[in-house]
Amino acid sequence: MKQRGEKITALTAYDYPTGRLLDESGVDIILVGDSVGMVVLGYQDTTNVTLGEMLHHTRAVARGVKQALLVADMPIHTYETPGQAMETATKLVDAGAQAVKLEGGVSHIAQIRAITEAGIPFMAHIGMLPQSVREQGGYRIKGRTQLEAEALLADARAVEQAGAFSVVLEIVLAEVAKQITNAIGIPTIGIGSGEYCDGQILVTHDLIGLFPWFTPKFVSPEARVAEEIRRAARAFIERIKRSGQA
Ligand code: KIV
């Protein structure tokens, strides 16, 4: 698709109906993201998500996905060594994922190699790394300085060389995302990184307005599902109070 100049679409899913609906809609990639921690499980960030939780949600989504490429996130502290990374990736594949993703570039090349050499398709994730949000002091744009831009380019080249089939660029300056996209052969999938990436990914809850308490600045929601849920619940409450009939 990158070679043909065809844009790649990717969305997150955490349960069977959403996975099935997105799949039926024709999205190219479905990610069981560890963003499940924030938009489904109510954690403050993704740093509390466990492998058990990821396996549970991956199994549910896998039951609903037939066409799209199903990628699962490796949660924090489950890829500290190459051996642990391979073990975690294998468990996610056994749960139904066709590929796995972890956060890091040059810093995690040994882990990435262990995964790709085991024959497990691997998607990289560089730029803003939500699992490191506490150390990074918030969700800040990456690539603003020359040094940061060069480090991102080095990360992208390194993950490609280690066998990644694609790389997510999260909140990277658009011009830097463009440079990276032109410099590597594998597709870049952007989130908050401008229009020049080979594809785009969003957290589905942001796209459909299902997490109304916070929407990232770079998202233009296509629906207001939270409002519909509130409307339906209020209508139900009103009907029962009035007539007693469900
Ligand atoms: O967990 C997630 O949803 C992600 C995307 C934001 C890329 O990693």
Side-chain angles (χ1 to χ4, degrees), residues 12 14 31 33-35 73 101 103 125 168 170 191 201 203:
T12 62
Y14 317 104
L31 170 71
D34 62 355
S35 48
D73 259 344
K101 172 166 85 59
E103 295 181 9
H125 184 155
V168 168
E170 180 155 356
I191 174 160
I201 185 164
V203 168

Side-chain angles (χ1 to χ4, degrees), residues 27 34 39 65 67 70 73 84 97 143 156 176 189 194 220 225 240:
V27 72
D34 62 355
V39 299
V65 174
Q67 300 296 330
L70 183 58
D73 259 344
Q84 191 196 18
V176 176
I189 309 293
S220 306
V225 173
I240 301 309

Side-chain angles (χ1 to χ4, degrees), residues 117-199:
E117 281 169 9
I120 297 173
F122 176 78
M123 179 182 243
H125 184 155
I126 64 173
M128 165 60 211
L129 306 179
Q131 291 176 8
S132 309
V133 64
R134 295 180 187 189
E135 293 86 332
Q136 293 187 7
Y139 297 91
R140 299 224 175 86
I141 192 157
K142 299 288 169 185
R144 276 193 194 280
T145 64
Q146 182 70 18
L147 217 61
E148 241 179 43
E150 279 167 13
L152 284 169
L153 193 56
D155 279 336
R157 289 200 165 113
V159 299
E160 178 176 28
Q161 272 212 320
F165 69 84
S166 168
V167 56
V168 168
L169 304 182
E170 180 155 356
I171 327 186
V172 170
L173 200 70
E175 273 307 313
V176 176
K178 184 182 184 182
Q179 271 175 32
I180 294 172
T181 300
N182 292 335
I184 61 175
I186 57 173
T188 56
I189 309 293
I191 174 160
S193 299
E195 66 192 284
Y196 305 112
C197 297
D198 297 305

Side-chain angles (χ1 to χ4, degrees), residues 223-235:
R224 297 191 185 282
V225 173
E227 281 311 306
E228 276 300 285
I229 292 175
R230 286 184 178 131
R231 190 199 55 73
R234 282 191 206 114

